[in-house]
Amino acid sequence: MIVAEVNFDGLIGPTHNYAGLSLGNKASTAHAGAPSYPRQAALQGLKKMKCLMDLGLTQGVFLPPLRPVTSLLHYLGYKGNDKEILTKAALEDRPLFNTLCSASAMWAANAATVIAASDSGDGRIHFITANLSTMLHRSLEAETTCQQLNRIFSDSCYFAVHRALPYGQHFSDEGAANHMRLTPSHKESGLNIFVYGEKGSGPYPERQNRRASQAVARLSSLPFDKNYFIPQKAEAIAKGAFHNDVVAVANEYVLLAHAEAFEDQDVWLDRMAQHVEGFIPLIIDSISLEQAIKSYLFNSQIVTLPDNQMAIILPREVKADPAVWQVVETIIKGNNPISQAIVVDVHESMANGGGPACLRLRVPLSKKALAAVDQRYILNEERWGQLCCLVEEFWPERLLPDDLINPDLWKTAVKAHWALINWLG
Ligand code: SUG
């Protein structure tokens, strides 16, 4: 059986903006109020998808939900049509209004945790929709994300889509960004590593709760000996690693991580070595946590190519710091399967704290499972080109914070939304 990993990237929506909504995410805070370039942002994301397609990999896409979203306003007692309630909310409560406009669903690594068929108790691929309950703007994604996952992975012979865990601190869950899988190859069973934040250990919210990760393991009936629950280093969270994927990434038997990513890191690495055949840890201590978080070196995608070599897809920011780039060069020359480094420009997403790995949800699929996926969400050259044309036509070129409250933008967003629905067919 051949199993390949398919990346589903979130298409960046037309209201992409910098509202400074994510406490503990340094880039989000630093760029609050800056002009954003939604068209460029979406095209950058699409180019990254094309780059993976050109490497011979199957690439999927998630479509953005309509923003600004009005369901929350109805729920909160606002009365009137969409334009009326949005106008009212914009006047009365700008911070609330800004959360309604966020295009944050682009970061598909936070859409759900995905448990591979070869690991789950029933041989199906499990998707546990993330509740994203720590940040209001992100929590608004869960419902539409779950609907989209149900649409794309509707065949219950192969897939099980779970709704989000209960909201609140107890079960705060940010999905695959805090989950890694180590395995000799995508088709074999593997070790599921859940990384969580210890509550109250630092100045910023810990966005993944251990209880949530345990629930994810239970819901997909993971055998207990196939899970590690590892606390994220408090210092890393305090310095801006608001998700584990800011400081660590795994692909098959390779783990690339900063030396300060986890508590008791050496103990955990020893255990991984015992558990995973051929384990290759690439543990980096030559750059500081600050350099790691600024460059997003560890938010790279490591992908297995059709010839079984691996490539690492990095954000262009890694080139800005010679010490970070030196790490990349050493990896490429080193005794490990990563044989090429590809630098992509996802700067518009990066300025909100989202690198290449944040923009995608990884799904290991057998040929049969891939055939069971709704094919409208799998890209080919033609469909990819059509999306680029839609973005060119409907996405605003530039947005300033005050543009968010302009009804013309809401109309543009609705037009873009319908264009995508037509594209789906
Ligand atoms: O949740 N930024 C996102 C970035 C998510 C990155 N994802 C992963 N690491 N997997 C977040 O903090 C900023 C939005 C704003 O400030 O306008 C934001 O939501």
Side-chain angles (χ1 to χ4, degrees):
M1 182 179 51
I2 299 172
V3 176
E5 185 179 84
V6 177
N7 286 285
F8 286 81
D9 277 47
L11 178 67
I12 299 176
T15 62
H16 156 66
N17 72 94
Y18 302 114
L21 299 175
S22 278
L23 178 68
N25 168 345
K26 301 269 160 148
S28 155
T29 307
H31 293 96
S36 65
Y37 297 86
R39 190 181 304 160
Q40 201 187 332
L43 291 174
Q44 286 174 350
L46 280 161
K47 265 197 190 157
K48 175 171 88 74
M49 298 183 217
K50 183 69 165 48
C51 166
L52 271 85
M53 291 159 70
D54 291 344
L55 288 170
L57 303 175
T58 305
Q59 178 68 48
V61 68
F62 290 151
L63 300 187
L66 178 61
R67 294 290 183 265
V69 57
T70 51
S71 53
L72 179 69
L73 296 179
H74 290 292
Y75 181 45
L76 294 174
Y78 282 86
K79 301 214 168 40
N81 63 32
D82 281 359
K83 189 174 172 191
E84 285 161 356
I85 61 177
L86 285 170
T87 308
K88 208 156 188 251
L91 281 172
E92 280 179 11
D93 189 344
R94 223 16 220 285
L96 171 69
F97 181 81
N98 287 344
T99 67
L100 309 176
C101 295
S102 178
S104 56
M106 69 173 84
W107 297 299
N110 304 118
T113 310
V114 182
I115 302 298
S118 46
D119 297 345
S120 72
D122 60 6
R124 294 187 297 169
I125 300 165
H126 285 247
F127 299 82
I128 296 83
T129 308
N131 59 25
L132 292 157
S133 64
T134 305
M135 306 280 166
L136 178 62
H137 69 293
R138 301 234 50 189
S139 70
L140 303 177
E141 294 165 38
E143 199 179 324
T144 36
T145 296
C146 190
Q147 286 163 3
Q148 180 156 238
L149 290 173
N150 269 307
R151 222 172 11 251
I152 303 176
F153 304 103
S154 62
D155 188 334
S156 58
C157 294
Y158 295 96
F159 311 116
V161 176
H162 302 259
R163 65 193 167 127
L165 298 173
Y167 286 75
Q169 254 197 22
H170 260 64
F171 292 106
S172 56
D173 178 18
E174 307 250 335
N178 298 308
H179 170 253
M180 301 184 290
R181 181 168 184 263
L182 284 170
T183 170
S185 83
H186 286 310
K187 68 170 185 266
E188 286 172 67
S189 79
L191 178 66
N192 287 269
I193 299 173
F194 297 91
V195 185
Y196 63 93
E198 254 57 90
K199 287 287 167 205
S201 54
Y204 298 131
E206 297 82 12
R207 292 167 63 167
Q208 183 73 33
N209 193 295
R210 181 187 170 104
R211 290 188 192 89
S213 302
Q214 287 168 329
V216 168
R218 267 194 308 274
L219 283 165
S220 44
S221 307
L222 277 179
F224 76 94
D225 59 342
K226 288 209 172 136
N227 312 320
Y228 287 171
F229 297 93
I230 304 185
Q232 198 180 354
K233 193 131 189 149
E235 192 191 341
I237 302 178
K239 290 201 166 142
F242 55 95
H243 289 138
N244 173 62
D245 68 5
V246 177
V247 282
V249 56
N251 184 53
E252 295 188 320
Y253 48 93
V254 175
L255 171 71
L256 173 64
H258 189 272
E260 304 288 323
F262 320 120
E263 297 290 352
D264 301 320
Q265 188 144 324
D266 291 343
V267 176
W268 288 110
L269 289 174
D270 279 350
R271 288 191 196 165
M272 289 175 202
Q274 281 164 28
H275 205 123
V276 183
E277 204 188 307
F279 179 51
I280 299 187
L282 302 170
I283 307 302
I284 310 301
D285 61 5
S286 58
I287 58 170
S288 64
L289 274 171
E290 285 85 351
Q291 285 173 297
I293 290 161
K294 195 156 181 220
S295 65
Y296 263 40
L297 167 65
F298 300 95
N299 200 262
S300 302
Q301 286 178 255
I302 305 179
V303 292
T304 306
L305 302 174
D307 65 2
N308 271 330
Q309 288 290 304
M310 294 186 193
I312 184 165
I313 321 291
L314 304 135
R316 75 167 203 218
E317 284 72 4
V318 294
K319 282 205 151 173
D321 182 335
V324 175
W325 187 244
Q326 177 65 50
V327 173
V328 176
E329 290 195 320
T330 308
I331 293 173
I332 299 308
K333 288 188 203 129
N335 189 15
N336 69 70
I338 304 176
S339 57
Q340 51 174 315
I342 300 168
V343 174
V344 292
D345 184 359
V346 288
H347 179 74
E348 280 292 306
S349 165
M350 282 285 287
N352 248 338
C358 301
L359 287 162
R360 60 93 168 93
L361 188 70
R362 324 161 75 167
V363 186
L365 291 167
S366 67
K367 276 203 167 156
K368 281 187 179 166
L370 175 57
V373 170
D374 185 332
Q375 297 299 306
R376 297 173 303 169
Y377 294 84
I378 301 290
L379 293 178
N380 57 27
E381 292 242 352
E382 191 190 354
R383 303 274 289 157
W384 176 84
Q386 290 164 350
L387 278 182
C388 294
C389 291
L390 288 188
V391 167
E392 296 275 11
E393 186 175 347
F394 293 102
W395 268 236
E397 193 191 340
R398 182 171 191 261
L399 288 182
L400 283 165
D402 277 349
D403 294 328
L404 296 180
I405 61 171
N406 184 341
D408 286 347
L409 174 68
W410 312 340
K411 267 194 222 153
T412 303
V414 170
K415 276 192 199 152
H417 187 69
W418 280 103
L420 288 174
I421 289 174
N422 284 334
W423 174 83
L424 261 192

